[in-house]
Each structure stands twice: as structure tokens, then as C-alpha cells.
Amino acid sequence: MTNKYMYFIANWKMFGTLKSVNSLSKVIKYTNSLTNRKFKLIYCPPFTLLDKFNNKLKNTNIEIGGQNCHHSDGFGSFTGFVSPKMLKDCGAKYVILGHSENRQIGENDKIINLKIKNCLKNNLKVILCVGETFIEKKQKKTKQIISSQIIKGLKKIKDTKNIIIAYEPVWSIGTGKLISTDELSYLIEYIKKILKSRYKIKKTKVLYGGSVKTKNIDQLKKIDILDGFLIGGASRNPQNLIDIVKKSYI
Ligand code: PGA
């Protein structure tokens, strides 16, 4: 049983319509019923739902975040994009950056670094996703990939207190495949070591993401050094999300 302050990030990806906002009621009821709220729940819906979510979650302790943003700061001629300032305007407090689904379509560390800088400038907390592909894992490059994505992503960023790292092995995302507990503990420790030695930060939160489900949360929660979970598919079902939060504390 954990007793620590945990983060649960609900990444809805490209799912959800206006009607989906109703599914939040059950989760709000659950979090409101708790007297000892030792966790932070953050919904990251698609851009189209941010404002709706913001309204629905007013007066609750649940927060919202964007799933990505443009690398420039304010406004501009960038058809189809949303800037950090615009996320902030919708009530977002967080933003997921460097998700493998975006890296796979051409987002590189340099762009991610620029995005991080501009998000921090706009007072958004950043959830930086890092992780290796299946081929990189087979080639035993996991640590090399993780450290390079962290170091390049955080280049010339001095103040890292508003950065959360999410370790997400790409081969585990949406596949139901889970990393072993030993390997995960080892890699989370490795990430914390990099952060401590390079950035002198003792308290950076490190989360795990990739097929987090109600059926495997009992196994994952045993990893004491984890500070929470980035949950994709399972987070769209309110009962599954509640169960993941609940089971993490049992
Ligand atoms: P998943 O997604 O939980 O559906 O594997 C996690 C993620 O992509 O952040």
C-alpha cells in the first residue's frame, strides 16, 4: 500500500465528443467523497473538449491539461495548431509533450525542447514522455534512448520544478504488454539518478505509462519509487479510472 502523493494522468488521445463530458460526473463524485486526497488527477482531453472539461471540473480538485501544443509561444499563422498560451486560456495547467505517438510522426527532441521552454514560460506544468521502441529494446538501447530524450528535451532548462517525467515504453502503449516489475523499478531509479545528477533535483516526479489497467495496477503499485501513472485507454472508462486510483492506495 502506498502512502505517497501520486499523479494520475488521463490521456484521452483522439477520443471523446461533447457527450463524453457526462462521464466525468462519476469520477467527480468519487474524488469529492474522499477526505484524504493524496493524489492529483489530471484529465488531458482533446483540444475540442478542454473548455467543456474545464467548466465541468470547476470547484473540484481535478485539473486539466493539453495533449500537445505548438512550439511557438503565443499566436501565429500555424494552421491546425494550438499554442501554450491558448491551452492556458482554456484552463489547462499541464501539457503532455514528447508523446511517442507524436515522436513517431516527426516530432524531434529539438522541437520538444522548444515546446517545453514555451510551456514553462506560460506557467504550464510539463509531462515529458520518454521511452524506447521495441527494436531499441531488443538492441539494448533503452537507457541510451531514455537519457538522450531527457537530456535533449531539457537542454538549457534550469528550472525543472514544473517538469514531470513519464516513462512510457513505446512497445507497451495500447498493446496490453507490460514491463517486468524489476526492469521498471530499475529504469525509474535510473531516470531519477539522471535528474539528480544533472539537474540537482531531488524531487522530480517520475510516472509510468503503457497499458496501465485495473488488472495490472496491483503489480505496478508495488514499485515504491513511482510517483504515478499516465493512463491512456483505461482512463476513458470512469469506473476503470476510479479503480486504478483506488487500488493504488489499497
Ligand atoms: P495506454 O496509453 O494506457 O492506452 O497504453 C498510454 C499512453 O499512450 O499514454
Side-chain angles (χ1 to χ4, degrees), residues 23 26 30 52 86-87 97 99-101 119 130 156-157 162 171 173 179 183 201 203 234:
S23 76
K26 197 168 179 168
Y30 167 68
K52 276 265 173 199
M86 292 155 97
L87 286 181
L97 293 176
H99 193 284
S100 60
E101 284 155 12
C119 284
V130 299
K156 296 204 172 141
I157 295 173
N162 286 329
W171 50 270
I173 294 175
I179 187 170
E183 198 179 354
I201 30 176
K203 286 191 182 148

Side-chain angles (χ1 to χ4, degrees), residues 45-223:
F47 297 140
T48 49
L49 297 180
L50 274 172
D51 187 46
K52 276 265 173 199
F53 271 52
N54 191 35
N55 283 326
K56 181 87 179 174
L57 296 170
K58 267 201 182 111
N59 307 317
T60 72
N61 62 336
I62 304 172
E63 294 185 312
I64 57 166
Q67 293 176 16
N68 199 357
C69 65
H70 194 262
H71 56 270
S72 68
D73 179 21
F75 305 102
S77 302
F78 299 107
T79 306
F81 291 94
V82 164
S83 71
K85 216 181 266 315
M86 292 155 97
L87 286 181
K88 194 78 196 165
D89 187 50
C90 278
K93 300 240 166 58
Y94 292 81
V95 60
I96 297 172
L97 293 176
H99 193 284
S100 60
E101 284 155 12
N102 294 316
R103 290 184 191 261
Q104 275 160 2
I105 52 169
E107 195 172 83
N108 61 33
D109 291 306
K110 207 170 162 190
I111 294 285
I112 294 166
N113 175 251
L114 205 51
K115 289 184 182 195
I116 297 177
K117 285 176 181 159
N118 279 325
C119 284
L120 294 176
K121 210 161 114 188
N122 281 279
N123 292 317
L124 285 165
K125 293 191 173 92
V126 170
I127 300 145
L128 170 63
C129 300
V130 299
E132 82 288 0
T133 62
F134 186 67
I135 293 170
E136 288 159 348
K137 179 179 165 63
K138 285 280 154 224
Q139 294 170 335
K140 304 209 178 316
K141 287 188 182 156
T142 300
K143 290 206 294 185
Q144 185 188 323
I145 297 293
I146 292 176
S147 67
S148 147
Q149 289 178 344
I150 292 177
I151 291 163
K152 289 181 183 160
L154 299 183
K155 195 173 171 189
K156 296 204 172 141
I157 295 173
K158 284 203 185 77
D159 189 358
T160 46
K161 71 171 183 299
N162 286 329
I163 293 184
I164 294 172
I165 305 288
Y167 169 56
E168 298 205 298
V170 182
W171 50 270
S172 178
I173 294 175
T175 60
K177 289 188 187 132
L178 200 64
I179 187 170
S180 78
T181 317
D182 284 351
E183 198 179 354
L184 183 54
S185 310
Y186 174 75
L187 291 171
I188 299 297
E189 215 156 287
Y190 174 69
I191 293 170
K192 291 202 172 186
K193 255 186 221 154
I194 301 177
L195 297 165
K196 209 168 159 184
S197 63
R198 286 190 74 99
Y199 306 99
K200 311 272 174 261
I201 30 176
K202 288 195 189 102
K203 286 191 182 148
T204 302
K205 305 283 179 196
V206 182
L207 319 181
Y208 168 76
S211 294
V212 176
K213 311 270 178 218
T214 44
K215 65 170 191 256
N216 56 31
I217 195 69
D218 284 337
Q219 180 185 336
L220 289 167
K221 74 174 183 197
K222 287 187 192 137
I223 304 167

Side-chain angles (χ1 to χ4, degrees), residues 9-13 15-25 27-28 41-67 90-93 235-238 241:
I9 320 281
N11 176 13
W12 273 31
K13 311 194 179 195
F15 290 94
T17 59
L18 293 178
K19 269 195 202 148
S20 333
V21 178
N22 299 332
S23 76
L24 299 182
S25 303
V27 179
I28 295 171
L41 177 58
I42 300 142
Y43 269 104
C44 297
F47 297 140
T48 49
L49 297 180
L50 274 172
D51 187 46
K52 276 265 173 199
F53 271 52
N54 191 35
N55 283 326
K56 181 87 179 174
L57 296 170
K58 267 201 182 111
N59 307 317
T60 72
N61 62 336
I62 304 172
E63 294 185 312
I64 57 166
Q67 293 176 16
C90 278
K93 300 240 166 58
S235 73
R236 297 194 301 274
N237 177 307
L241 185 59

